[in-house]
């Protein structure tokens, strides 16, 4: 059983070994970062990258009162979700006091006598007490690779639906291996905790002599950043086109509860579908509340192969504290059907 | 187009016409009740029945500071959801100061000079300033019936998937007509606002010359009572057995977010399935948070015909503010598979 996980991407940047530069991969890393902040009375943090880890760390650092800067090589965080949603996420972190430096490459780190770290970037130098690199992870496949186990197109270990590698008695599971994406019908690399858990259980069941199949993923993810919920499932419009679907999308702005209900918050949802075939392909959503709830319903819709027509009239539980009589899912599906 | 709606069930009880006895069916009723409370300085309310309306009104009355009593002919509210969940709902209303009189029949009302209403019950007399009857609704079918339009087995207007009655050019929609239940494969009477909206749109589309099909319902419902979310979709264990399924159920107690996350609240979820066939049939859930979200995902699962096996590994969006790596849905499905 190969369960070697993943390691943080750690590109070779001059000075990357100076004191106070961290990755966040596990609880031990978190404790180190927390202790460092306390011991050094850190007041400034730089996050490199703008993925899940960086965005979640923004919130943690701001809560600790740190001056927080995100340095990112692209123009917007979470661009995959579309420019509109990416801008909303940017606005959310900025309005919570995070500095965002987009289109910026980190070129090197220097350490000062005082402990201050100089972060040299393509847009000038920053001073910080602490740097966290959130540049994603790469599958840890060196052992598997040396042993002759096949890697897939993503660079992670190739497995079949039983979590079986190309070797008769060798299984793999978790962040070191690929997952089958049920919508694109392609192997993908999706190093997420819930998927690792599922794969581990399937591999263990098969190793134990029973037969279990991992049905693959539909690409669901979510996170919370300050007061915003962000979630997505299936394919984005861009991804759907790339895979070869005749894809279209429609984005609506709705509310999380009934309009008349107190504390109803704005949420935006984009549905992606092959409108010719009436096939639902994916959804992205950003908002104050009820975002993950909708995306989970839509993740199940992708799993069950619901058509756009079925989504437009799906029987969701309705009461004003939870939605309008027409849920944003219905409204978006009906708009996309037009 | 017949859209005559429903009327509150108003059984003939002696004295039912005394001043201060209301039904709640629409905004005008709500305004009358509110004005009455204000004008009479009402301090005591009796709710007859323990359905959605009564339980929601409990909360509204307690917020207004009224001494509130629910009188119900059965022993527990919402017994359909199972005794355990019914008890939890009872505890929730009682701990919010509502008096619950179960196994109690209302036998008549009397009015005193002072304006006080005497509610005579099988368990003695109560004094109140206001009574709200929440005894459900009956479809308003007198016009349709006189015109010779067929009623279905539920007593509501029978319609096909186009919302078409047995008359060539007569359609019906909303609380006056039946819905097709996709799991029991039977017509049911489900007078809920979201269903009425959908049926209306389907009928209108067909009347307008396009072709639209109402795909039926899976029996989703939800409500909030004080700090408890309650929701259900598909069949209960009892209903499933009655329909003829080899049904079994499993109830788990989980939490709405990751265990480690602040403000995670308890939720209980019961899955019902034909375990022989691996077919998922329904779910009920009660808890502080995340209940409706799970039930909506499960409503879509019923619509898509997901098997219990598929539910056990369905790719939901995971992050600690929203669930554990194994969602209560996964855990319940896996337990039921054992």
């Amino acid at each position: 059983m190969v369960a070697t996980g993943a390691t943080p991407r750690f590109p070779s940047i001059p000075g990357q070994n100076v004191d106070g530069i961290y990755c966040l991969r596990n609880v031990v890393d978190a404790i180190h970062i927390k202790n460092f902040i306390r011991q050094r009375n850190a007041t400034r943090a730089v996050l490199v990258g703008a993925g899940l880890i960086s965005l979640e760390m923004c919130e943690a650092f701001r809560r600790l009162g740190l001056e927080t800067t995100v340095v990112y090589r692209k123009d917007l965080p979470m661009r995959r979700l579309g420019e509109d949603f990416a801008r909303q996420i940017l606005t959310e972190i900025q309005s919570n006091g995070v500095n965002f430096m987009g289109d910026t490459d980190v070129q090197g780190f220097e350490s000062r006598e005082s402990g201050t770290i100089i972060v040299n970037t393509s847009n000038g130098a920053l001073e910080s007490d602490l740097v966290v690199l959130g540049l994603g992870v790469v599958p840890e496949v060196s052992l598997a690779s040396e042993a002759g186990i096949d890697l897939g197109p993503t660079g992670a270990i190739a497995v079949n639906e039983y979590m079986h590698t190309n070797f008769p008695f060798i299984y793999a599971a978790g962040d070191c291996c690929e997952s089958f994406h049920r919508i694109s019908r392609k192997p993908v690399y999706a190093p997420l905790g819930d998927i690792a858990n599922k794969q581990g259980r399937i591999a263990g069941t098969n190793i134990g002599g029973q037969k279990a199949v991992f049905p693959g993923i539909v690409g669901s993810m979510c996170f919370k950043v300050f007061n915003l919920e962000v979630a997505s499932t299936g394919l984005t419009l861009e991804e759907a086109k790339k895979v070869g679907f005749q894809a279209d999308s429609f984005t609506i702005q709705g509310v999380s509860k009934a309009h008349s209900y107190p504390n109803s918050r704005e949420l935006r949802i984009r549905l992606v579908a092959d409108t010719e075939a009436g096939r639902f392909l994916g959804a992205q959503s950003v908002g104050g509340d009820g975002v993950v709830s909708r995306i989970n319903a839509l993740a199940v819709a992708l799993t069950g192969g619901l058509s756009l027509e079925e989504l437009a009239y799906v029987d969701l539980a309705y009461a004003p504290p939870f939605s309008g009589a027409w849920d944003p899912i219905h409204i978006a599906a009906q708009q996309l059907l037009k």
Side-chain angles (χ1 to χ4, degrees), chain A:
Chain A
M1 171 78 186
V2 184
T4 43
T7 44
R9 189 174 279 138
F10 205 89
S12 47
I13 301 173
Q16 65 183 26
N17 292 321
V18 309
D19 200 26
I21 300 184
Y22 290 94
C23 291
L24 176 64
R25 181 70 190 148
N26 51 42
V27 177
V28 174
D29 294 335
I31 291 168
H32 285 159
I33 292 170
K34 229 173 163 176
N35 286 342
F36 184 89
I37 291 171
R38 213 165 359 213
Q39 283 158 11
R40 303 291 180 96
N41 289 316
T43 59
R44 300 164 298 180
V46 165
L47 289 153
V48 182
L52 292 186
I53 294 286
S54 275
L55 293 175
E56 290 179 340
M57 287 300 285
C58 275
E59 189 176 340
F61 283 159
R62 290 299 298 148
R63 270 180 195 246
L64 291 174
L66 272 64
E67 191 184 297
T68 306
T69 303
V70 172
V71 179
Y72 188 43
R73 69 190 161 85
K74 295 192 192 168
D75 60 344
L76 289 169
M78 291 283 149
R79 242 219 183 280
R80 175 180 173 258
L81 303 180
E83 187 182 331
D84 48 353
F85 291 0
R87 283 203 187 284
Q88 195 174 343
I89 294 165
L90 175 60
T91 302
E92 182 70 15
I93 63 171
Q94 285 176 331
S95 66
N96 282 282
V98 174
N99 310 311
F100 182 81
M101 287 175 66
D103 290 320
T104 303
D105 285 309
V106 172
Q107 298 169 326
F109 304 105
E110 291 169 47
S111 185
R112 287 279 154 85
E113 194 80 18
S114 61
T116 295
I117 302 165
I118 309 298
V119 183
N120 291 311
T121 80
S122 55
N123 278 318
L126 293 169
E127 292 196 350
S128 186
D129 301 312
L130 175 75
V131 174
V132 174
L133 302 175
L135 298 165
V137 296
V138 287
E140 177 48 67
V141 295
S142 40
L143 173 67
S145 187
E146 280 167 35
I149 293 172
D150 280 351
L151 305 183
T154 71
I157 298 171
V159 285
N160 67 10
E161 67 269 39
Y162 306 107
M163 305 310 299
H164 197 182
T165 69
N166 62 313
F167 270 69
F169 299 110
I170 301 182
Y171 290 78
D175 290 0
C176 62
C177 72
E178 296 183 332
S179 297
F180 177 71
H181 196 296
R182 294 169 64 132
I183 311 306
S184 70
R185 313 298 295 171
K186 285 184 178 153
V188 292
Y189 183 54
L192 296 168
D194 56 327
I195 297 172
N197 266 277
K198 286 170 193 148
Q199 292 180 331
R201 186 166 292 192
I202 295 290
T205 303
N206 286 316
I207 290 168
Q210 289 189 303
K211 203 109 184 161
V213 165
F214 183 58
I217 64 170
V218 292
S220 305
M221 63 78 92
C222 65
F223 66 98
K224 180 179 167 292
V225 58
F226 296 104
N227 294 305
L228 210 57
E229 291 187 13
V230 183
S232 144
T233 190
L235 305 178
T236 63
L237 179 60
E238 206 170 90
E239 290 164 353
K241 284 181 174 168
K242 222 172 182 174
V243 172
F245 288 108
Q246 294 296 317
D248 204 351
S249 74
F250 199 94
T251 307
I252 66 143
Q253 179 158 324
V255 281
S256 60
K257 311 172 201 289
H259 281 274
S260 55
Y261 202 82
N263 305 320
S264 193
R265 297 186 59 193
E266 258 179 26
L267 83 95
R268 288 194 287 168
I269 191 161
R270 171 153 49 241
L271 294 190
V272 179
D274 185 327
T275 44
E276 202 67 33
R279 185 172 170 200
F280 169 53
L281 298 171
Q284 299 83 47
S285 181
V286 175
D289 188 21
V291 164
V292 176
S293 164
R294 266 78 182 188
I295 288 296
N296 277 340
L298 292 166
V300 178
L302 285 173
T303 307
L306 261 69
S307 70
L308 207 50
E309 195 90 44
E310 283 179 298
L311 263 190
Y313 288 92
V314 67
D315 183 17
L316 302 172
Y318 157 63
F322 308 107
S323 79
W326 292 103
D327 192 84
I329 289 175
H330 299 126
I331 299 167
Q334 289 181 4
Q335 289 295 336
L336 196 45
L337 275 171
K338 277 182 187 167

